[in-house]
Structures are given as structure tokens and as C-alpha cells.
Amino acid sequence: MNPVELTSHEDSVRMFNAKGTSPVVVVCEHASAFIPAKFSNLGLAGDALQSHAAWDPGALALAKGLAVRLDAKLVTSGVSRLVYDCNRPPSAADAMPYQSEAITVPGNQHLTAEQRQERVEKYYEPFRAALADTIAGTAMPVIVTIHSFTPIYHGKMRAVEIGILHDSDTRLADVMLDNAHDHTDRLVQRNEPYGPTHGVTHTLKEHALVNGHWNVMLEVRNDLIRETDQQEQMAESIANWLADALARLQDDGVAQCQA
Ligand SMILES: [Zn+2]
């Protein structure tokens, strides 16, 4: 359980198991809560800096567990999504969010065009390029993005435990929803607690849909991947679930590339 770690682009993007042999490319855009010192914590203090607003707790460990089990490459962002949310295009207002649930981010208020552009160039572009290169270097790639969400949002408990998300290409998501009961007892729902209308499918659109690669975005409730044993158990379930879904797609002769 010790993936080879390569660090590049001044840590704005990190790769694990870069020589993985699986067609699956695992992506974790919200892997880190790290805010470079020059941003002075974006004006935040205390719990906010480690809260789900800053990153997806548990998602990196789950993504690594998946990468190890599948022998898949893993591409992650090295900075907090409050610095730059790598699952958003530069044109999106919430690529550098001023507001996240109940938290306001003083350091993201009144950003100039130059400040925004600097973050795009320093954090988003290296991530985008590294992911594009990784996908280009993988035969018949399958894009799987790993996220976690908070159990309580705006004071309301969320029932959904695992979300299977997709944009206009539903192929892999459909099979995973069909075979969910073979792999988990958790409450699994389509495009919950977020979906394409919330702007969360940027990576899928940018890196998978354009080339017709099979793809899915997985959202796991973060209380289910808090402890190491939970993370390992979830990684095991999802690895088997995904492998089963991919085998079914292949058996059904579903085209892997539309281009
Ligand atoms: Zn996320």
C-alpha cells in the first residue's frame, strides 16, 4: 500500500503510481487543504482551514486505495480548492470561491483579473496539463474522479451515501448504478448530492466527453471514509464495483471511444 509518489509543477499537481498499467485514470481534484503561505490562509482561521470547504476529507486516501488496487495512475491537485478549484474552468466564478456553504473567504474577495489569471496559470493549468498528458499516455483510458461530501449541509442531514455522477455520457454510471447492490449496502443515488447543473462535471467534460472516454464521478459521504479501515474497505468495494462495471461494458461491446 505504498504508491510511488512523484511531485512536479511546484506541488500544484501531484501524481501517484505514474507507471500504473490500468486503463483507469483516477483523479482527485479536491485532495488537499494546502494553502500556500503567500495567501495568508486566505483570511481564514481555525476549523475552516480543514473543513470540507477547503478540500474533500478522505477522498485522497480513497483515491490512493483505488489506484493501488487497480494499479491505476492517480492525478491530484496539490492545493486547496479555495485557492483554485481544479474541477472548475477558469471562467467559473466559483473556481476561486468567495463563499462556500457558511464560510466566506476574505482572500477571494475582489480578486483582480491579474490575480485570477495568476492562479489559473500556477494551479489549474499544470493540473489540467498533467491530467491531459496522463490520459494521452493511457491506452483506452477510463476517467474516474473521486470526491467526498459533508453529511450535513446547511443544517440538513443527507441520506445519500454514495453518489454516481455523470454528465451527458451515462454509460459507465448506468452500469455502476445497475450493479450497485452486488458491491455495497450503502444508499447509492444518481447525480446526488450534486449533478451537472451544479457545474461539478468539468473534469469529465474537459477530459473524457470530448474524446468519448468512459467516465464517472464518485461522491462518497465523508463520514464513511473518515478512518483508515473505512477508507480501505470503501476502496476495496469501489475497486471491485468498477472492475465489474468495466467488464460488463466490454462484454456488451459498448464502444470505448466515440472519436
Ligand atoms: Zn469534491
Side-chain angles (χ1 to χ4, degrees), residues 29-30 56 81 87 146-148 217 219:
E29 302 97 319
H30 304 150
D56 285 358
R81 63 170 158 203
N87 194 28
I146 300 295
H147 293 259
S148 74
M217 174 174 174
E219 281 271 12

Side-chain angles (χ1 to χ4, degrees), residues 175-186 188 236-238 240-242 244-245 248:
V175 180
M176 288 194 75
L177 284 156
D178 276 351
N179 71 358
H181 289 306
D182 295 343
H183 298 283
T184 181
D185 296 329
R186 300 292 176 187
V188 180
E236 183 74 21
S237 300
I238 290 179
N240 291 330
W241 189 358
L242 197 55
D244 179 16
R248 290 193 196 195

Side-chain angles (χ1 to χ4, degrees), residues 66-86:
L66 201 54
V68 167
R69 283 167 174 82
L70 298 171
D71 192 23
K73 305 172 191 93
L74 165 61
V75 182
T76 84
S77 169
V79 295
S80 168
R81 63 170 158 203
L82 298 178
V83 175
Y84 190 98
D85 184 336
C86 283

Side-chain angles (χ1 to χ4, degrees), residues 115-191:
Q115 286 171 319
R116 292 183 72 89
Q117 186 58 27
E118 194 188 321
R119 290 199 208 174
V120 169
E121 288 173 12
K122 185 131 176 73
Y123 305 110
Y124 176 70
E125 285 299 342
F127 172 84
R128 196 203 59 75
L131 179 52
D133 287 351
T134 301
I135 292 168
T138 303
M140 304 297 266
V142 178
I143 317 307
V144 178
T145 73
I146 300 295
H147 293 259
S148 74
F149 61 94
T150 182
I152 299 169
Y153 191 67
H154 287 300
K156 221 177 142 190
M157 183 71 193
R158 285 163 155 164
V160 58
E161 295 179 304
I162 301 174
I164 306 289
L165 282 64
H166 57 78
D167 200 277
S168 58
D169 175 5
T170 69
R171 294 171 298 176
L172 179 52
D174 285 345
V175 180
M176 288 194 75
L177 284 156
D178 276 351
N179 71 358
H181 289 306
D182 295 343
H183 298 283
T184 181
D185 296 329
R186 300 292 176 187
L187 177 59
V188 180
Q189 294 184 333
R190 182 189 296 272
N191 283 336

